[in-house]
Amino acid sequence: MSSDESEGRAPSPKRLRRLAGSCDFCRKRKIKCDSSTTTNTRCTNCITNDHLCTHDAPTKKRGVKN
């Protein structure tokens, strides 16, 4: 048994959950989205362009289609 295993490590603190990706507007325009880091409900690009900041578009499946 190593010294790391015998010492009781404290559980890691809970991390904030990030959004899966960019919002629909930023994804469509292929621009960087900061909706996961802002505390506001809208990202900077959506505020600037007066759009709703939504995350409704389904994520695309990766890999080879069967």
PDB file of all heavy atoms in Angstrom, residues 27-65:
ATOM      1  N   ARG A  27     -23.059  29.241 -33.242  1.00  0.00           N
ATOM      2  CA  ARG A  27     -22.761  28.042 -34.019  1.00  0.00           C
ATOM      3  C   ARG A  27     -23.077  28.259 -35.491  1.00  0.00           C
ATOM      4  O   ARG A  27     -22.316  27.867 -36.374  1.00  0.00           O
ATOM      5  CB  ARG A  27     -23.556  26.856 -33.485  1.00  0.00           C
ATOM      6  CG  ARG A  27     -23.201  25.564 -34.183  1.00  0.00           C
ATOM      7  CD  ARG A  27     -23.914  24.393 -33.568  1.00  0.00           C
ATOM      8  NE  ARG A  27     -23.426  24.188 -32.219  1.00  0.00           N
ATOM      9  CZ  ARG A  27     -24.166  23.746 -31.205  1.00  0.00           C
ATOM     10  NH1 ARG A  27     -25.428  23.459 -31.394  1.00  0.00           N
ATOM     11  NH2 ARG A  27     -23.646  23.573 -30.019  1.00  0.00           N
ATOM     12  N   LYS A  28     -24.193  28.929 -35.771  1.00  0.00           N
ATOM     13  CA  LYS A  28     -24.579  29.185 -37.159  1.00  0.00           C
ATOM     14  C   LYS A  28     -23.580  30.113 -37.846  1.00  0.00           C
ATOM     15  O   LYS A  28     -23.223  29.907 -39.006  1.00  0.00           O
ATOM     16  CB  LYS A  28     -25.978  29.795 -37.197  1.00  0.00           C
ATOM     17  CG  LYS A  28     -26.499  30.048 -38.582  1.00  0.00           C
ATOM     18  CD  LYS A  28     -27.907  30.602 -38.552  1.00  0.00           C
ATOM     19  CE  LYS A  28     -28.410  30.868 -39.953  1.00  0.00           C
ATOM     20  NZ  LYS A  28     -29.740  31.470 -39.955  1.00  0.00           N
ATOM     21  N   ARG A  29     -23.113  31.119 -37.119  1.00  0.00           N
ATOM     22  CA  ARG A  29     -22.167  32.074 -37.706  1.00  0.00           C
ATOM     23  C   ARG A  29     -20.722  31.636 -37.564  1.00  0.00           C
ATOM     24  O   ARG A  29     -19.817  32.308 -38.053  1.00  0.00           O
ATOM     25  CB  ARG A  29     -22.357  33.441 -37.055  1.00  0.00           C
ATOM     26  CG  ARG A  29     -23.753  33.967 -37.350  1.00  0.00           C
ATOM     27  CD  ARG A  29     -23.935  35.422 -37.149  1.00  0.00           C
ATOM     28  NE  ARG A  29     -22.937  36.230 -37.763  1.00  0.00           N
ATOM     29  CZ  ARG A  29     -22.721  37.505 -37.438  1.00  0.00           C
ATOM     30  NH1 ARG A  29     -23.451  38.070 -36.513  1.00  0.00           N
ATOM     31  NH2 ARG A  29     -21.786  38.197 -38.043  1.00  0.00           N
ATOM     32  N   LYS A  30     -20.495  30.520 -36.858  1.00  0.00           N
ATOM     33  CA  LYS A  30     -19.159  29.965 -36.616  1.00  0.00           C
ATOM     34  C   LYS A  30     -18.236  30.983 -35.955  1.00  0.00           C
ATOM     35  O   LYS A  30     -17.118  31.264 -36.409  1.00  0.00           O
ATOM     36  CB  LYS A  30     -18.541  29.444 -37.915  1.00  0.00           C
ATOM     37  CG  LYS A  30     -19.301  28.290 -38.512  1.00  0.00           C
ATOM     38  CD  LYS A  30     -18.603  27.752 -39.743  1.00  0.00           C
ATOM     39  CE  LYS A  30     -19.383  26.582 -40.302  1.00  0.00           C
ATOM     40  NZ  LYS A  30     -18.754  26.033 -41.492  1.00  0.00           N
ATOM     41  N   ILE A  31     -18.727  31.537 -34.847  1.00  0.00           N
ATOM     42  CA  ILE A  31     -17.945  32.490 -34.067  1.00  0.00           C
ATOM     43  C   ILE A  31     -17.836  32.000 -32.634  1.00  0.00           C
ATOM     44  O   ILE A  31     -18.623  31.158 -32.189  1.00  0.00           O
ATOM     45  CB  ILE A  31     -18.567  33.909 -34.105  1.00  0.00           C
ATOM     46  CG1 ILE A  31     -20.034  33.867 -33.678  1.00  0.00           C
ATOM     47  CG2 ILE A  31     -18.426  34.522 -35.487  1.00  0.00           C
ATOM     48  CD1 ILE A  31     -20.699  35.235 -33.655  1.00  0.00           C
ATOM     49  N   LYS A  32     -16.854  32.506 -31.924  1.00  0.00           N
ATOM     50  CA  LYS A  32     -16.608  32.076 -30.547  1.00  0.00           C
ATOM     51  C   LYS A  32     -17.734  32.545 -29.636  1.00  0.00           C
ATOM     52  O   LYS A  32     -18.143  33.690 -29.686  1.00  0.00           O
ATOM     53  CB  LYS A  32     -15.273  32.629 -30.061  1.00  0.00           C
ATOM     54  CG  LYS A  32     -14.857  32.076 -28.730  1.00  0.00           C
ATOM     55  CD  LYS A  32     -13.412  32.396 -28.469  1.00  0.00           C
ATOM     56  CE  LYS A  32     -12.967  31.880 -27.122  1.00  0.00           C
ATOM     57  NZ  LYS A  32     -12.927  30.435 -27.076  1.00  0.00           N
ATOM     58  N   CYS A  33     -18.217  31.638 -28.805  1.00  0.00           N
ATOM     59  CA  CYS A  33     -19.336  31.926 -27.903  1.00  0.00           C
ATOM     60  C   CYS A  33     -18.842  31.897 -26.463  1.00  0.00           C
ATOM     61  O   CYS A  33     -18.097  30.996 -26.066  1.00  0.00           O
ATOM     62  CB  CYS A  33     -20.433  30.884 -28.102  1.00  0.00           C
ATOM     63  SG  CYS A  33     -21.894  31.190 -27.116  1.00  0.00           S
ATOM     64  N   ASP A  34     -19.262  32.875 -25.674  1.00  0.00           N
ATOM     65  CA  ASP A  34     -18.872  32.913 -24.264  1.00  0.00           C
ATOM     66  C   ASP A  34     -20.050  32.666 -23.331  1.00  0.00           C
ATOM     67  O   ASP A  34     -20.013  33.037 -22.170  1.00  0.00           O
ATOM     68  CB  ASP A  34     -18.193  34.234 -23.939  1.00  0.00           C
ATOM     69  CG  ASP A  34     -19.093  35.440 -24.139  1.00  0.00           C
ATOM     70  OD1 ASP A  34     -20.205  35.277 -24.673  1.00  0.00           O
ATOM     71  OD2 ASP A  34     -18.679  36.548 -23.760  1.00  0.00           O
ATOM     72  N   SER A  35     -21.083  31.991 -23.835  1.00  0.00           N
ATOM     73  CA  SER A  35     -22.268  31.755 -23.011  1.00  0.00           C
ATOM     74  C   SER A  35     -21.969  30.846 -21.828  1.00  0.00           C
ATOM     75  O   SER A  35     -22.651  30.909 -20.817  1.00  0.00           O
ATOM     76  CB  SER A  35     -23.403  31.174 -23.847  1.00  0.00           C
ATOM     77  OG  SER A  35     -23.051  29.907 -24.335  1.00  0.00           O
ATOM     78  N   SER A  36     -20.957  30.011 -21.913  1.00  0.00           N
ATOM     79  CA  SER A  36     -20.635  29.118 -20.805  1.00  0.00           C
ATOM     80  C   SER A  36     -19.880  29.838 -19.694  1.00  0.00           C
ATOM     81  O   SER A  36     -19.835  29.352 -18.566  1.00  0.00           O
ATOM     82  CB  SER A  36     -19.813  27.929 -21.299  1.00  0.00           C
ATOM     83  OG  SER A  36     -18.593  28.367 -21.825  1.00  0.00           O
ATOM     84  N   THR A  37     -19.307  30.984 -19.986  1.00  0.00           N
ATOM     85  CA  THR A  37     -18.532  31.696 -18.972  1.00  0.00           C
ATOM     86  C   THR A  37     -19.242  32.922 -18.417  1.00  0.00           C
ATOM     87  O   THR A  37     -18.833  33.442 -17.387  1.00  0.00           O
ATOM     88  CB  THR A  37     -17.175  32.144 -19.550  1.00  0.00           C
ATOM     89  OG1 THR A  37     -17.411  32.980 -20.681  1.00  0.00           O
ATOM     90  CG2 THR A  37     -16.345  30.953 -19.975  1.00  0.00           C
ATOM     91  N   THR A  38     -20.284  33.389 -19.076  1.00  0.00           N
ATOM     92  CA  THR A  38     -20.971  34.584 -18.601  1.00  0.00           C
ATOM     93  C   THR A  38     -22.021  34.216 -17.570  1.00  0.00           C
ATOM     94  O   THR A  38     -22.623  33.152 -17.616  1.00  0.00           O
ATOM     95  CB  THR A  38     -21.669  35.338 -19.757  1.00  0.00           C
ATOM     96  OG1 THR A  38     -22.567  34.449 -20.399  1.00  0.00           O
ATOM     97  CG2 THR A  38     -20.668  35.867 -20.760  1.00  0.00           C
ATOM     98  N   THR A  39     -22.245  35.113 -16.633  1.00  0.00           N
ATOM     99  CA  THR A  39     -23.273  34.881 -15.624  1.00  0.00           C
ATOM    100  C   THR A  39     -24.626  35.356 -16.129  1.00  0.00           C
ATOM    101  O   THR A  39     -25.645  35.022 -15.555  1.00  0.00           O
ATOM    102  CB  THR A  39     -22.933  35.634 -14.329  1.00  0.00           C
ATOM    103  OG1 THR A  39     -22.759  37.018 -14.625  1.00  0.00           O
ATOM    104  CG2 THR A  39     -21.662  35.078 -13.712  1.00  0.00           C
ATOM    105  N   ASN A  40     -24.618  36.120 -17.203  1.00  0.00           N
ATOM    106  CA  ASN A  40     -25.854  36.587 -17.818  1.00  0.00           C
ATOM    107  C   ASN A  40     -26.500  35.422 -18.560  1.00  0.00           C
ATOM    108  O   ASN A  40     -25.879  34.404 -18.819  1.00  0.00           O
ATOM    109  CB  ASN A  40     -25.523  37.733 -18.788  1.00  0.00           C
ATOM    110  CG  ASN A  40     -26.735  38.538 -19.171  1.00  0.00           C
ATOM    111  OD1 ASN A  40     -27.852  38.204 -18.828  1.00  0.00           O
ATOM    112  ND2 ASN A  40     -26.505  39.607 -19.895  1.00  0.00           N
ATOM    113  N   THR A  41     -27.736  35.572 -18.935  1.00  0.00           N
ATOM    114  CA  THR A  41     -28.419  34.502 -19.657  1.00  0.00           C
ATOM    115  C   THR A  41     -28.088  34.512 -21.137  1.00  0.00           C
ATOM    116  O   THR A  41     -28.429  33.568 -21.839  1.00  0.00           O
ATOM    117  CB  THR A  41     -29.939  34.628 -19.491  1.00  0.00           C
ATOM    118  OG1 THR A  41     -30.356  35.904 -19.961  1.00  0.00           O
ATOM    119  CG2 THR A  41     -30.337  34.451 -18.052  1.00  0.00           C
ATOM    120  N   ARG A  42     -27.446  35.551 -21.621  1.00  0.00           N
ATOM    121  CA  ARG A  42     -27.102  35.670 -23.038  1.00  0.00           C
ATOM    122  C   ARG A  42     -25.607  35.880 -23.203  1.00  0.00           C
ATOM    123  O   ARG A  42     -24.954  36.507 -22.375  1.00  0.00           O
ATOM    124  CB  ARG A  42     -27.848  36.851 -23.665  1.00  0.00           C
ATOM    125  CG  ARG A  42     -29.351  36.654 -23.674  1.00  0.00           C
ATOM    126  CD  ARG A  42     -30.108  37.905 -23.987  1.00  0.00           C
ATOM    127  NE  ARG A  42     -29.763  38.442 -25.288  1.00  0.00           N
ATOM    128  CZ  ARG A  42     -30.174  39.621 -25.724  1.00  0.00           C
ATOM    129  NH1 ARG A  42     -30.934  40.380 -24.971  1.00  0.00           N
ATOM    130  NH2 ARG A  42     -29.836  40.042 -26.913  1.00  0.00           N
ATOM    131  N   CYS A  43     -25.063  35.373 -24.310  1.00  0.00           N
ATOM    132  CA  CYS A  43     -23.640  35.587 -24.586  1.00  0.00           C
ATOM    133  C   CYS A  43     -23.434  36.987 -25.163  1.00  0.00           C
ATOM    134  O   CYS A  43     -24.384  37.663 -25.558  1.00  0.00           O
ATOM    135  CB  CYS A  43     -23.117  34.517 -25.541  1.00  0.00           C
ATOM    136  SG  CYS A  43     -23.690  34.656 -27.237  1.00  0.00           S
ATOM    137  N   THR A  44     -22.202  37.399 -25.243  1.00  0.00           N
ATOM    138  CA  THR A  44     -21.866  38.740 -25.714  1.00  0.00           C
ATOM    139  C   THR A  44     -22.322  38.959 -27.156  1.00  0.00           C
ATOM    140  O   THR A  44     -22.835  40.023 -27.498  1.00  0.00           O
ATOM    141  CB  THR A  44     -20.346  38.961 -25.616  1.00  0.00           C
ATOM    142  OG1 THR A  44     -19.936  38.669 -24.278  1.00  0.00           O
ATOM    143  CG2 THR A  44     -19.975  40.384 -25.949  1.00  0.00           C
ATOM    144  N   ASN A  45     -22.160  37.950 -28.003  1.00  0.00           N
ATOM    145  CA  ASN A  45     -22.553  38.086 -29.406  1.00  0.00           C
ATOM    146  C   ASN A  45     -24.059  38.253 -29.558  1.00  0.00           C
ATOM    147  O   ASN A  45     -24.525  39.036 -30.383  1.00  0.00           O
ATOM    148  CB  ASN A  45     -22.085  36.879 -30.216  1.00  0.00           C
ATOM    149  CG  ASN A  45     -20.585  36.786 -30.244  1.00  0.00           C
ATOM    150  OD1 ASN A  45     -19.895  37.772 -30.389  1.00  0.00           O
ATOM    151  ND2 ASN A  45     -20.073  35.573 -30.083  1.00  0.00           N
ATOM    152  N   CYS A  46     -24.829  37.522 -28.771  1.00  0.00           N
ATOM    153  CA  CYS A  46     -26.288  37.643 -28.839  1.00  0.00           C
ATOM    154  C   CYS A  46     -26.758  38.991 -28.306  1.00  0.00           C
ATOM    155  O   CYS A  46     -27.714  39.565 -28.817  1.00  0.00           O
ATOM    156  CB  CYS A  46     -26.954  36.505 -28.068  1.00  0.00           C
ATOM    157  SG  CYS A  46     -26.798  34.914 -28.903  1.00  0.00           S
ATOM    158  N   ILE A  47     -26.099  39.508 -27.295  1.00  0.00           N
ATOM    159  CA  ILE A  47     -26.442  40.831 -26.771  1.00  0.00           C
ATOM    160  C   ILE A  47     -26.139  41.893 -27.819  1.00  0.00           C
ATOM    161  O   ILE A  47     -26.955  42.772 -28.087  1.00  0.00           O
ATOM    162  CB  ILE A  47     -25.678  41.118 -25.467  1.00  0.00           C
ATOM    163  CG1 ILE A  47     -26.175  40.174 -24.360  1.00  0.00           C
ATOM    164  CG2 ILE A  47     -25.832  42.569 -25.046  1.00  0.00           C
ATOM    165  CD1 ILE A  47     -25.334  40.214 -23.102  1.00  0.00           C
ATOM    166  N   THR A  48     -24.960  41.800 -28.444  1.00  0.00           N
ATOM    167  CA  THR A  48     -24.546  42.781 -29.450  1.00  0.00           C
ATOM    168  C   THR A  48     -25.476  42.784 -30.652  1.00  0.00           C
ATOM    169  O   THR A  48     -25.841  43.835 -31.173  1.00  0.00           O
ATOM    170  CB  THR A  48     -23.112  42.483 -29.920  1.00  0.00           C
ATOM    171  OG1 THR A  48     -22.257  42.465 -28.781  1.00  0.00           O
ATOM    172  CG2 THR A  48     -22.635  43.534 -30.908  1.00  0.00           C
ATOM    173  N   ASN A  49     -25.888  41.600 -31.103  1.00  0.00           N
ATOM    174  CA  ASN A  49     -26.718  41.475 -32.299  1.00  0.00           C
ATOM    175  C   ASN A  49     -28.210  41.368 -31.997  1.00  0.00           C
ATOM    176  O   ASN A  49     -29.003  41.117 -32.899  1.00  0.00           O
ATOM    177  CB  ASN A  49     -26.271  40.257 -33.110  1.00  0.00           C
ATOM    178  CG  ASN A  49     -24.883  40.441 -33.659  1.00  0.00           C
ATOM    179  OD1 ASN A  49     -24.617  41.384 -34.393  1.00  0.00           O
ATOM    180  ND2 ASN A  49     -23.973  39.556 -33.295  1.00  0.00           N
ATOM    181  N   ASP A  50     -28.582  41.527 -30.734  1.00  0.00           N
ATOM    182  CA  ASP A  50     -29.976  41.511 -30.286  1.00  0.00           C
ATOM    183  C   ASP A  50     -30.705  40.226 -30.710  1.00  0.00           C
ATOM    184  O   ASP A  50     -31.752  40.263 -31.345  1.00  0.00           O
ATOM    185  CB  ASP A  50     -30.715  42.757 -30.792  1.00  0.00           C
ATOM    186  CG  ASP A  50     -32.010  42.985 -30.043  1.00  0.00           C
ATOM    187  OD1 ASP A  50     -32.064  42.643 -28.848  1.00  0.00           O
ATOM    188  OD2 ASP A  50     -32.966  43.490 -30.658  1.00  0.00           O
ATOM    189  N   HIS A  51     -30.109  39.075 -30.354  1.00  0.00           N
ATOM    190  CA  HIS A  51     -30.697  37.763 -30.625  1.00  0.00           C
ATOM    191  C   HIS A  51     -30.954  37.053 -29.311  1.00  0.00           C
ATOM    192  O   HIS A  51     -30.329  37.342 -28.298  1.00  0.00           O
ATOM    193  CB  HIS A  51     -29.747  36.889 -31.457  1.00  0.00           C
ATOM    194  CG  HIS A  51     -29.741  37.227 -32.900  1.00  0.00           C
ATOM    195  ND1 HIS A  51     -30.634  36.680 -33.789  1.00  0.00           N
ATOM    196  CD2 HIS A  51     -28.943  38.044 -33.627  1.00  0.00           C
ATOM    197  CE1 HIS A  51     -30.378  37.152 -34.994  1.00  0.00           C
ATOM    198  NE2 HIS A  51     -29.352  37.996 -34.920  1.00  0.00           N
ATOM    199  N   LEU A  52     -31.860  36.079 -29.360  1.00  0.00           N
ATOM    200  CA  LEU A  52     -32.048  35.211 -28.204  1.00  0.00           C
ATOM    201  C   LEU A  52     -30.882  34.233 -28.143  1.00  0.00           C
ATOM    202  O   LEU A  52     -30.453  33.713 -29.169  1.00  0.00           O
ATOM    203  CB  LEU A  52     -33.354  34.431 -28.318  1.00  0.00           C
ATOM    204  CG  LEU A  52     -34.627  35.246 -28.187  1.00  0.00           C
ATOM    205  CD1 LEU A  52     -35.832  34.352 -28.458  1.00  0.00           C
ATOM    206  CD2 LEU A  52     -34.719  35.841 -26.800  1.00  0.00           C
ATOM    207  N   CYS A  53     -30.395  33.974 -26.962  1.00  0.00           N
ATOM    208  CA  CYS A  53     -29.276  33.045 -26.789  1.00  0.00           C
ATOM    209  C   CYS A  53     -29.854  31.695 -26.381  1.00  0.00           C
ATOM    210  O   CYS A  53     -30.134  31.441 -25.220  1.00  0.00           O
ATOM    211  CB  CYS A  53     -28.320  33.579 -25.726  1.00  0.00           C
ATOM    212  SG  CYS A  53     -26.740  32.721 -25.688  1.00  0.00           S
ATOM    213  N   THR A  54     -30.044  30.829 -27.364  1.00  0.00           N
ATOM    214  CA  THR A  54     -30.652  29.530 -27.105  1.00  0.00           C
ATOM    215  C   THR A  54     -29.672  28.409 -27.397  1.00  0.00           C
ATOM    216  O   THR A  54     -28.741  28.566 -28.193  1.00  0.00           O
ATOM    217  CB  THR A  54     -31.902  29.325 -27.981  1.00  0.00           C
ATOM    218  OG1 THR A  54     -31.517  29.442 -29.348  1.00  0.00           O
ATOM    219  CG2 THR A  54     -32.964  30.352 -27.665  1.00  0.00           C
ATOM    220  N   HIS A  55     -29.897  27.287 -26.751  1.00  0.00           N
ATOM    221  CA  HIS A  55     -29.087  26.080 -26.951  1.00  0.00           C
ATOM    222  C   HIS A  55     -30.014  24.938 -27.322  1.00  0.00           C
ATOM    223  O   HIS A  55     -30.002  23.886 -26.706  1.00  0.00           O
ATOM    224  CB  HIS A  55     -28.301  25.745 -25.677  1.00  0.00           C
ATOM    225  CG  HIS A  55     -27.243  26.733 -25.354  1.00  0.00           C
ATOM    226  ND1 HIS A  55     -25.941  26.559 -25.720  1.00  0.00           N
ATOM    227  CD2 HIS A  55     -27.305  27.928 -24.726  1.00  0.00           C
ATOM    228  CE1 HIS A  55     -25.241  27.597 -25.311  1.00  0.00           C
ATOM    229  NE2 HIS A  55     -26.044  28.441 -24.707  1.00  0.00           N
ATOM    230  N   ASP A  56     -30.831  25.154 -28.346  1.00  0.00           N
ATOM    231  CA  ASP A  56     -31.855  24.179 -28.720  1.00  0.00           C
ATOM    232  C   ASP A  56     -31.428  23.220 -29.820  1.00  0.00           C
ATOM    233  O   ASP A  56     -32.002  22.143 -29.953  1.00  0.00           O
ATOM    234  CB  ASP A  56     -33.129  24.902 -29.176  1.00  0.00           C
ATOM    235  CG  ASP A  56     -33.755  25.692 -28.048  1.00  0.00           C
ATOM    236  OD1 ASP A  56     -33.568  25.311 -26.876  1.00  0.00           O
ATOM    237  OD2 ASP A  56     -34.427  26.693 -28.341  1.00  0.00           O
ATOM    238  N   ALA A  57     -30.454  23.595 -30.632  1.00  0.00           N
ATOM    239  CA  ALA A  57     -30.056  22.748 -31.761  1.00  0.00           C
ATOM    240  C   ALA A  57     -29.428  21.461 -31.237  1.00  0.00           C
ATOM    241  O   ALA A  57     -28.601  21.497 -30.323  1.00  0.00           O
ATOM    242  CB  ALA A  57     -29.060  23.481 -32.649  1.00  0.00           C
ATOM    243  N   PRO A  58     -29.823  20.311 -31.777  1.00  0.00           N
ATOM    244  CA  PRO A  58     -29.245  19.048 -31.315  1.00  0.00           C
ATOM    245  C   PRO A  58     -27.786  18.943 -31.731  1.00  0.00           C
ATOM    246  O   PRO A  58     -27.388  19.469 -32.773  1.00  0.00           O
ATOM    247  CB  PRO A  58     -30.086  17.984 -32.004  1.00  0.00           C
ATOM    248  CG  PRO A  58     -30.640  18.659 -33.207  1.00  0.00           C
ATOM    249  CD  PRO A  58     -30.802  20.109 -32.830  1.00  0.00           C
ATOM    250  N   THR A  59     -26.991  18.268 -30.910  1.00  0.00           N
ATOM    251  CA  THR A  59     -25.594  18.084 -31.255  1.00  0.00           C
ATOM    252  C   THR A  59     -25.479  17.051 -32.365  1.00  0.00           C
ATOM    253  O   THR A  59     -26.265  16.097 -32.427  1.00  0.00           O
ATOM    254  CB  THR A  59     -24.775  17.613 -30.040  1.00  0.00           C
ATOM    255  OG1 THR A  59     -25.353  16.420 -29.521  1.00  0.00           O
ATOM    256  CG2 THR A  59     -24.758  18.672 -28.960  1.00  0.00           C
ATOM    257  N   LYS A  60     -24.513  17.233 -33.223  1.00  0.00           N
ATOM    258  CA  LYS A  60     -24.332  16.317 -34.349  1.00  0.00           C
ATOM    259  C   LYS A  60     -23.568  15.087 -33.871  1.00  0.00           C
ATOM    260  O   LYS A  60     -22.637  15.184 -33.077  1.00  0.00           O
ATOM    261  CB  LYS A  60     -23.558  16.993 -35.472  1.00  0.00           C
ATOM    262  CG  LYS A  60     -24.332  18.126 -36.106  1.00  0.00           C
ATOM    263  CD  LYS A  60     -23.542  18.727 -37.238  1.00  0.00           C
ATOM    264  CE  LYS A  60     -24.332  19.862 -37.880  1.00  0.00           C
ATOM    265  NZ  LYS A  60     -23.578  20.483 -38.961  1.00  0.00           N
ATOM    266  N   LYS A  61     -23.971  13.946 -34.367  1.00  0.00           N
ATOM    267  CA  LYS A  61     -23.286  12.695 -34.051  1.00  0.00           C
ATOM    268  C   LYS A  61     -21.982  12.651 -34.828  1.00  0.00           C
ATOM    269  O   LYS A  61     -21.908  13.070 -35.970  1.00  0.00           O
ATOM    270  CB  LYS A  61     -24.136  11.486 -34.442  1.00  0.00           C
ATOM    271  CG  LYS A  61     -25.489  11.458 -33.803  1.00  0.00           C
ATOM    272  CD  LYS A  61     -25.429  10.822 -32.467  1.00  0.00           C
ATOM    273  CE  LYS A  61     -26.836  10.685 -31.929  1.00  0.00           C
ATOM    274  NZ  LYS A  61     -26.907  10.219 -30.606  1.00  0.00           N
ATOM    275  N   ARG A  62     -20.941  12.137 -34.185  1.00  0.00           N
ATOM    276  CA  ARG A  62     -19.655  12.026 -34.845  1.00  0.00           C
ATOM    277  C   ARG A  62     -19.405  10.585 -35.257  1.00  0.00           C
ATOM    278  O   ARG A  62     -19.973   9.669 -34.698  1.00  0.00           O
ATOM    279  CB  ARG A  62     -18.550  12.481 -33.897  1.00  0.00           C
ATOM    280  CG  ARG A  62     -18.697  13.954 -33.544  1.00  0.00           C
ATOM    281  CD  ARG A  62     -17.555  14.420 -32.729  1.00  0.00           C
ATOM    282  NE  ARG A  62     -16.354  14.372 -33.546  1.00  0.00           N
ATOM    283  CZ  ARG A  62     -15.151  14.733 -33.135  1.00  0.00           C
ATOM    284  NH1 ARG A  62     -14.980  15.148 -31.921  1.00  0.00           N
ATOM    285  NH2 ARG A  62     -14.116  14.665 -33.922  1.00  0.00           N
ATOM    286  N   GLY A  63     -18.555  10.414 -36.210  1.00  0.00           N
ATOM    287  CA  GLY A  63     -18.178   9.072 -36.617  1.00  0.00           C
ATOM    288  C   GLY A  63     -18.816   8.667 -37.938  1.00  0.00           C
ATOM    289  O   GLY A  63     -19.505   9.422 -38.600  1.00  0.00           O
ATOM    290  N   VAL A  64     -18.587   7.428 -38.294  1.00  0.00           N
ATOM    291  CA  VAL A  64     -19.064   6.890 -39.559  1.00  0.00           C
ATOM    292  C   VAL A  64     -20.541   6.503 -39.419  1.00  0.00           C
ATOM    293  O   VAL A  64     -20.940   5.891 -38.438  1.00  0.00           O
ATOM    294  CB  VAL A  64     -18.233   5.642 -39.949  1.00  0.00           C
ATOM    295  CG1 VAL A  64     -18.733   5.069 -41.248  1.00  0.00           C
ATOM    296  CG2 VAL A  64     -16.776   6.011 -40.032  1.00  0.00           C
ATOM    297  N   LYS A  65     -21.317   6.851 -40.431  1.00  0.00           N
ATOM    298  CA  LYS A  65     -22.729   6.449 -40.441  1.00  0.00           C
ATOM    299  C   LYS A  65     -22.829   5.008 -40.902  1.00  0.00           C
ATOM    300  O   LYS A  65     -22.156   4.595 -41.826  1.00  0.00           O
ATOM    301  CB  LYS A  65     -23.532   7.354 -41.384  1.00  0.00           C
ATOM    302  CG  LYS A  65     -23.608   8.774 -40.920  1.00  0.00           C
ATOM    303  CD  LYS A  65     -24.456   9.582 -41.868  1.00  0.00           C
ATOM    304  CE  LYS A  65     -24.500  11.031 -41.443  1.00  0.00           C
ATOM    305  NZ  LYS A  65     -25.285  11.847 -42.365  1.00  0.00           N
TER     306      LYS A  65
END
